[in-house]
Amino acid sequence: MAKWVYAFGNGKADGTAEMKNLLGGKGAGLAEMSGMGLPVPPGFTITTEACTYFYQHNQTYPDGLKAEADAALKQVGALVGAEFGNPAKPLLVSVRSGARVSMPGMMDTVLNLGLNPETTEGLASLTGNARFAYDSYRRFIQMYSNVVLGLEHSLFEEILDSAKEEKGVELDTELDATDLGRIIDDYKARVRKELGKQFPDDVHAQLWGAIGAVFGSWQAARARTYRKLNRIPEDWGTAVNVQAMVFGNRGETSATGVAFTRDPATGEKLLYGEFLINAQGEDVVAGIRTPQPISKAVRERQGGKKPSMEEAMPAAYAELRAIADKLEAHYRDMQDVEFTIQDGKLFMLQTRSGKRTAKAALKVAVDMVTEGLIDEKLAVMRVDPMALDQLLHPTLDPKAPKEQIASGLAASPGAATGEVAFTADEAEKRAGEGHAIILVRTETSPEDIHGMHAAKGILTARGGMTSHAAVVARGMGRPCVSGAGMIKIDAAKGEMVCGAHTIRRGELITIDGTSGQVFKGRVPTIEPELSGDFATLMGWADGMRRLKVRTNADTPKDAEVARKFGAEGIGLCRTEHMFFDPERILAVRQMILADDRAAREAALAKLLPMQRGDFEGIFRAMEGLPVTIRLLDPPLHEFLPQTDAEVADVARAAGTTPAKLRARAIALQEANPMLGHRGCRLGITFPEIYEMQARAIFEAAMNVERSGGKRVQLEIMIPLVGFRSEFDFLKERIAAVSRTIAKEHGRAPAFMTGTMIELPRAALRAGEIAESAEFFSFGTNDLTQTTLGVSRDDAGTFLTEYLSKGLIARDPFVSIDQDGVGELVKIAAERGRKAREKLKLGICGEHGGDPDSIRFCHEAGLDYVSCSPFRVPIARLAAAQAAFRYVNEDS
């Protein structure tokens, strides 16, 4: 018989940390902490399987669930000496979501459930604190009305703000019991007005309404968006955690807070977080009141005047510090905890692995190895390769002139410049039109996630380091400045006022999420420097991986950047990208439009020294590492002159008439250029083009070697081969140039000749091609297009629908289609190596920088991956993780 409910509390638990898939992350953490003997209020978890059942059976509950939940609720009451619905000793509970992975702010929570007029009076009598009881009931009505009844928070905030304004106070805590009683009446009246029915007083109806709402929040728009962005499966579902309430709003000896066992932005080992005295948990994460730091050191750095928890509640702080250390040692990872202090007593409400920036992830991983908590291999596995992207992009130039207009908390590191947008919808729309956007909000909410994802950075006027904006921005790798209280935002007018400055919609600002500063206009940036913890972890990763990591580089500058990031060669140098320079495009057009060999050779003679110079720069930058150069592979339409002026320029250079050139351009036009006269087909019809390139390559290599440079490891790649005969024809042409060079100079550079596998036929006939080719490089961009029959440039119009409808799990141009394209790669690798045992195999499409695709390449037996320069560290780390997983799964 299925078990739907798992209890925890009083030092015992039905579940453990290993049951995260069943109990969700929150439920598994509560069970584990309870089993460790930590102070956890008792409660129970309704499993994720119940949520799955709920959606598979027309949103109904499984048989037996209510009976199990009722029994568990009675047990909770017995442990705390209370009874659900009993005014004399009322049991109040929280109802919280808890998916198996953290989805901060994406799903719903209800606190203080179990209050009605009778139990509220009972709570007031029991505690001798009417203000506390009414404040709890006021909070419950507002939260329940929003989460369960579907009313907007703003309806109740208006009532609350009016009451404070009428009394002449600013803070909720300045309202007394009489004030709160009137607010409760007004809240209930608003519910009646909006819904035409009374706010529910039946506590059991409240409970099951909240449980249904938590299950329902799994399919809320914001949760679906978050799952899509973070590739979380739809069918995982969420658990529901029902837990006895402890109250941080019982007065000046009560508080609530969120803490990380290390700084989630830097990784520094100190208790880092925020708390609020006389408040409940939602006040901290919602950003409605700006909270106080937990540690004295953090308060001093931020220049805060209100005391830290370490100063205001030293005993509770010391206990929290000890529990934090115990949890870190137990989980062997940085933890993110929620807690409440009720009348001076500390209670733990959650623990989970803390989200962190890439910089912090590196420091935490390296420090924990030094501390003996984890080994080097686990440290490498702890860092998300894609998170390194946060470290690999420019930051603000400290020497550049800046006009600071505001400051706040440094909530998520990095810098960004963009046009101001005041709503998430506006940010998404403007970003879709190609604009860089900074989303500016008073505070963000989960409904803003689409705009946050579209924006380059986020700025909020309210909220702390653990507010929704801060947590989500860090997870996305977006720079964020939060709690910039001097900013006054008027979204309706489309402007914000920062002291003497007024910034309007569409104007540029720059934010620095590392310092918390906001600047007017654009501020120049500088390239990052990678050392310290990054170098240490990458050194460990390099020792674990089998796959080599090369780069796609077309210029010496690209090659130098890639070398700095640890590239071990160039896997793809696209020679056509060298020709778009304004000084060269004229000669290229002259070559393409030439209607005889002599005219073509005249144009090629102009290009030869340019190509030779390009290759010399690349060879010098790579310092003897292998360089794979792909011969010309242009869709010709990209180079054809488009305007009358361009046609006239080419005609003048070629010594012909514009009319004749236009006729030639029309003759070269193709219905489908991507499958037309390009790649090896161009080299076969006009061999002199590839002969010029081969000469430029060989002469450049010899020039570098003669001038004292390291010997070039030269690999010449023939593109778009489908038949061995194509490859053999062009291989011999290249060899003939090499022989000519040897006669002219007494020697020629050593080289290998190989091909790109980017057509299904080439993959299927790889065995016979490998008899002649010395290496294969899988061009998975084109191999994906030709296998799926999908144009990458046009796929966006319908692939998003495929993704949203669950027809495919990933965009096949982002992560390799392992079942289709991947099968062709495996076939080509197997057949190629059967014909040539030492055949070198690599991949040079965009997939070379995608961690999932890199794991596939490891398993398929490839020798290297090649990716863009800034993806090289990502690929190095992903290759190490692929090797570790492969060994462990195979053993």
Side-chain angles (χ1 to χ4, degrees), residues 261 327-328 331-335 353-354 356 364 368 382:
T261 55
L327 286 170
E328 263 206 359
Y331 282 100
R332 300 195 301 159
D333 195 9
M334 181 186 100
Q335 295 296 291
S353 292
R356 64 208 79 175
V364 169
M368 285 191 168
R382 279 276 171 84

Side-chain angles (χ1 to χ4, degrees), residues 439-487:
L439 178 61
V440 179
R441 304 282 282 153
T442 300
E443 63 203 11
T444 64
S445 71
E447 283 75 13
D448 292 325
I449 187 169
H450 59 294
M452 298 173 75
H453 183 257
K456 297 294 185 184
I458 298 143
L459 169 64
T460 68
R462 293 207 296 244
M465 300 294 289
T466 51
S467 65
H468 175 266
V471 172
V472 173
R474 283 197 295 268
M476 288 181 171
R478 301 287 190 277
C480 177
V481 174
S482 65
M486 70 289 298
I487 293 176

Side-chain angles (χ1 to χ4, degrees), residues 686-706:
F686 305 124
E688 57 272 18
I689 295 176
Y690 280 11
E691 289 168 355
M692 178 278 290
Q693 289 197 293
R695 173 173 283 276
I697 292 167
F698 292 142
E699 289 180 349
M702 291 179 65
N703 288 347
V704 169
E705 292 170 7
R706 283 173 177 167

Side-chain angles (χ1 to χ4, degrees), residues 126-172:
L126 191 66
T127 60
N129 189 338
R131 190 208 174 277
F132 153 68
Y134 291 168
D135 182 52
S136 299
Y137 193 23
R138 186 271 305 173
R139 291 169 179 272
F140 170 60
I141 294 171
Q142 180 169 348
M143 194 173 290
Y144 192 93
S145 296
N146 174 249
V147 170
V148 182
L149 303 181
L151 299 180
E152 291 294 330
H153 264 302
S154 58
L155 296 175
F156 303 94
E157 288 296 326
E158 289 171 6
I159 295 170
L160 184 62
D161 288 344
S162 294
K164 288 188 287 186
E165 186 177 341
E166 185 177 326
K167 190 167 183 177
V169 299
E170 291 188 8
L171 301 177
D172 304 356

Side-chain angles (χ1 to χ4, degrees), residues 628-629 631 715-719 721 727 731 734 751-757 769 772-777 839-840:
T628 304
I629 297 174
L631 298 179
E715 299 171 358
I716 298 177
M717 186 159 65
I718 300 171
V721 163
F727 182 83
K731 181 181 179 182
I734 295 165
F751 68 98
M752 297 171 64
T753 312
T755 186
M756 287 188 85
I757 303 295
I769 295 174
S772 186
E774 296 169 278
F775 67 88
F776 287 169
S777 180
L839 183 70
K840 186 184 292 187

Side-chain angles (χ1 to χ4, degrees), residues 790-803:
V790 171
S791 164
R792 181 173 55 164
D793 294 334
D794 300 319
T797 59
F798 58 87
L799 277 187
T800 51
E801 287 294 315
Y802 276 53
L803 290 164

Side-chain angles (χ1 to χ4, degrees), residues 316-349:
Y317 172 85
E319 186 180 3
L320 181 63
R321 174 73 268 177
I323 289 174
D325 290 341
K326 187 173 182 179
L327 286 170
E328 263 206 359
H330 182 79
Y331 282 100
R332 300 195 301 159
D333 195 9
M334 181 186 100
Q335 295 296 291
D336 167 7
V337 300
E338 293 180 12
F339 64 91
T340 286
I341 302 164
Q342 178 177 294
D343 296 331
K345 179 172 173 52
L346 177 69
F347 293 92
M348 303 304 296
L349 304 180

Side-chain angles (χ1 to χ4, degrees), residues 91 111 420:
L91 170 65
L111 303 180
V420 168

